[in-house]
Amino acid sequence: MKQPSSWTLYLRLLRYVKPHWKAFAAAVVGYIIYAASSTALAEMMKRLINGIQEPTADFRLLMPLFVICMFGARGVGTFLGTYFMESVARNVVHALRMSLFGKMLKLPGRFFDEHSSGHLISRVTYHVEQVTGAVTKALTVILQEGFFVLGLTGYLFWTNWKLTLIFIAVTPIIGGVVAYASRRFRRLSRRIQKSVGDVTHVASEAISGYRVVRTHGAETFEYERFNAASEYNRAQSMKVALTKAVSAPVIQTLVAVSLALLVWLAMAPELMANMSAGAFVAFITAASMMAKPIKSLTEINGLIQRGLAASQEIFSLLDSQTEPDEGSYDPGRAKGEVTLEQVSFRYAPEQSDALKNIDLTVSPGEMIALVGRSGAGKSTLIGLMPRFYQPTSGRILIDGVKLDDYDLKALRRQISLVTQQVTLFNTTVAENIAYGQPGASHERIIAAAKAAYADEFISRLPKGYDTVIGDNGVMLSGGQRQRMAIARAIFKDAPILILDEATSALDTESERYIQRALEEVCKGRTTFVIAHRLSTIERADRILVMDQGEIIESGTHAQLLEEGGAYAALYNIQFSEQGA
Ligand code: ADP
């Protein structure tokens, strides 16, 4: 991948600063005041020394006033600069974070297959913060100290331009050191940021999967894995520290050498000519005052490079393609006829087909059970309907309209999805049922819960429908979570229902409730069930047996048993297991 130049990155970052130009301008004014008042310090030295040689009453009064005004101005400058720059920074972080999050809500399914959640999360948390360094802290120093250096240089030229030229002769060497350090900082920063992604990733896996970790006695393994990630992060950070620690004194030594040279040369009679003692001291003062801003300017380099490396990651995410959404068809509520014409799909060009030439027509209200070995393509087939993925060839139609022609939101409104892994959000039971529809009526929510046989256990929760169910609903049992998901689907009331039955065994009581809840939710909807339970399969209007991406058998339960093919074999195995 071609690395964008620092300038392109910086200019792009500055676009986020643009809306806050007023605060930015205030900060710049602050820096100019700061630089001017600091430069005045050198002039003060000149007057002081010249004044001491020939003291007057005026001088005695004016000098202290001058000091107060100078520091007062400097204070105002510092305040304006610091405060307004921080305000710009926080606004930029917020804006970047929001565009990243907004983007993540629109990325296609493929993207989440390719990127770990840890790395994605670290971009909205860590990377974004890194950018502030480049945008504001660095700008603060560049502007504040930059103006100061400019002021000092101007003052030096004004005092004695020949000496100044000599002083400036060392700048190319300093430039070289800075350039080398920049490249190194940027490379290391990229590594550090990636390692933060690794750290987040390993930690989140170990936290969310703590039961598996403990039961497999994998604590040491996870500990070591985390250690490796964190250690890598530490090592890279130390390399940054080393570069910083070496480059700053090297640069300062260079400045000191040139200062020394300056003093030596300044003593030369031909250069000293017509310089007062005060002017001479002021010159040396101004020259030595250069050391601090130059040091700050070089130290800031690491920060800028870190921010640029982070912004590169952020921009690459912002530039990635979102889900295609070009259609505009919105049927309101579709009837629910689903047609697949010669649909093939593969997840990646190098993989084999997960679906091969599927032809299927489903009438509104029909219930289709999908059965087959794991890896047969059942989930893949179902994932194409809400357009999580696009078919590689062929087309899918709902009510005779191609999925691509639908407005994406309108399309997804037609489909309810009940997955095996029920996702519950850390909010109230009511909001979980009416998910995506804030402000829904309480009666409708309760009606949906009742239809899903969930009302009973919800009423027994400490705060009923207003109980906050914690991270991913940890305080609910598997069966209860399933019923929550069904209640959500009933509430959504979409014409098409996709159901991925839980494979895990439930107690008979839960099982019975869920069975009834499922019957309820299927009523009047086109239903696709990835079926594991015999009862569901027997009830289905049509059973499709899938194998290696193809539909190999199709018919009702009785027909398929009669045929004595793959389905009959599958059924017999399950039946004997159930009987056992
Ligand atoms: P089933 O639901 O019948 O168990 P799937 O539809 O999940 O089967 O899988 C069909 C094929 O597609 C399998 O070979 C599987 O390895 C592959 N597959 C499933 N999901 C992905 C994915 N996100 N990326 C790449 N390949 C996948």
Side-chain angles (χ1 to χ4, degrees), residues 448-458 460 477-484 486-487 490 506-522 533 535 539:
K450 284 197 168 138
Y453 294 88
D455 178 62
E456 196 207 323
F457 80 82
I458 294 171
R460 271 188 276 118
S477 76
Q480 291 171 335
R481 295 160 57 93
Q482 283 267 310
R483 280 179 274 166
M484 284 286 294
I486 295 169
I490 292 175
L506 295 160
D507 56 279
T508 357
E509 168 95 356
S510 284
E511 173 83 42
R512 214 173 53 232
Y513 277 131
I514 288 174
Q515 223 32 265
R516 284 199 215 142
L518 284 177
E519 274 164 36
E520 194 64 40
V521 70
C522 297
R533 296 197 186 91
S535 48
R539 223 156 29 86

Side-chain angles (χ1 to χ4, degrees), residues 50-256:
N50 290 345
I52 289 168
Q53 286 167 336
E54 296 153 28
T56 63
D58 273 358
F59 173 78
R60 193 177 154 204
L61 183 68
L62 285 177
M63 197 63 202
L65 276 180
F66 184 73
V67 171
I68 293 170
C69 291
M70 199 190 72
F71 280 94
R74 222 166 97 132
V76 171
T78 309
F79 167 79
L80 287 177
T82 319
Y83 180 78
F84 285 104
M85 213 36 150
E86 186 66 21
S87 144
V88 173
R90 294 338 294 181
N91 278 305
V92 169
V93 164
H94 179 64
L96 272 176
R97 209 169 250 161
M98 291 319 293
S99 16
L100 272 176
F101 192 74
K103 187 80 187 188
M104 284 182 192
L105 293 177
K106 289 192 181 144
L107 289 169
R110 182 89 229 126
F111 193 89
F112 296 95
D113 294 342
E114 284 165 359
H115 296 80
S116 89
S117 62
H119 285 105
L120 292 177
I121 291 168
S122 76
R123 297 215 194 151
V124 259
T125 54
Y126 182 77
H127 286 64
V128 164
E129 285 292 337
Q130 298 292 297
V131 170
T132 18
V135 179
T136 53
K137 185 100 193 297
L139 272 185
T140 307
V141 173
I142 289 177
L143 294 174
Q144 186 168 347
E145 308 294 6
F147 282 133
F148 189 27
V149 168
L150 282 182
L152 286 174
T153 316
Y155 184 79
L156 288 176
F157 268 109
W158 178 65
T159 312
N160 190 329
W161 64 272
K162 282 188 202 147
L163 272 181
T164 310
L165 284 181
I166 295 166
F167 186 64
I168 284 174
V170 285
T171 44
I173 310 177
I174 295 181
V177 177
V178 173
Y180 170 77
S182 304
R183 279 196 300 275
R184 199 172 150 76
F185 279 137
R186 181 110 167 256
R187 199 172 56 237
L188 292 171
S189 304
R190 259 201 305 275
R191 287 193 209 152
I192 291 176
Q193 282 152 13
K194 185 178 167 301
S195 73
V196 171
D198 294 338
V199 167
T200 321
H201 175 70
V202 178
S204 73
E205 273 184 2
I207 291 165
S208 57
Y210 79 98
R211 290 177 189 219
V212 182
V213 173
R214 307 281 166 89
T215 48
H216 283 77
E219 291 92 339
T220 324
F221 173 74
E222 288 298 333
Y223 188 83
E224 285 307 323
R225 208 153 73 99
F226 190 78
N227 183 35
S230 181
E231 166 59 26
Y232 184 74
N233 178 282
R234 186 201 63 82
Q236 299 307 314
S237 306
M238 281 321 292
K239 285 189 192 168
V240 169
L242 181 67
T243 313
K244 203 164 19 174
V246 170
S247 64
V250 165
I251 290 163
Q252 283 168 55
T253 310
L254 285 171
V255 174

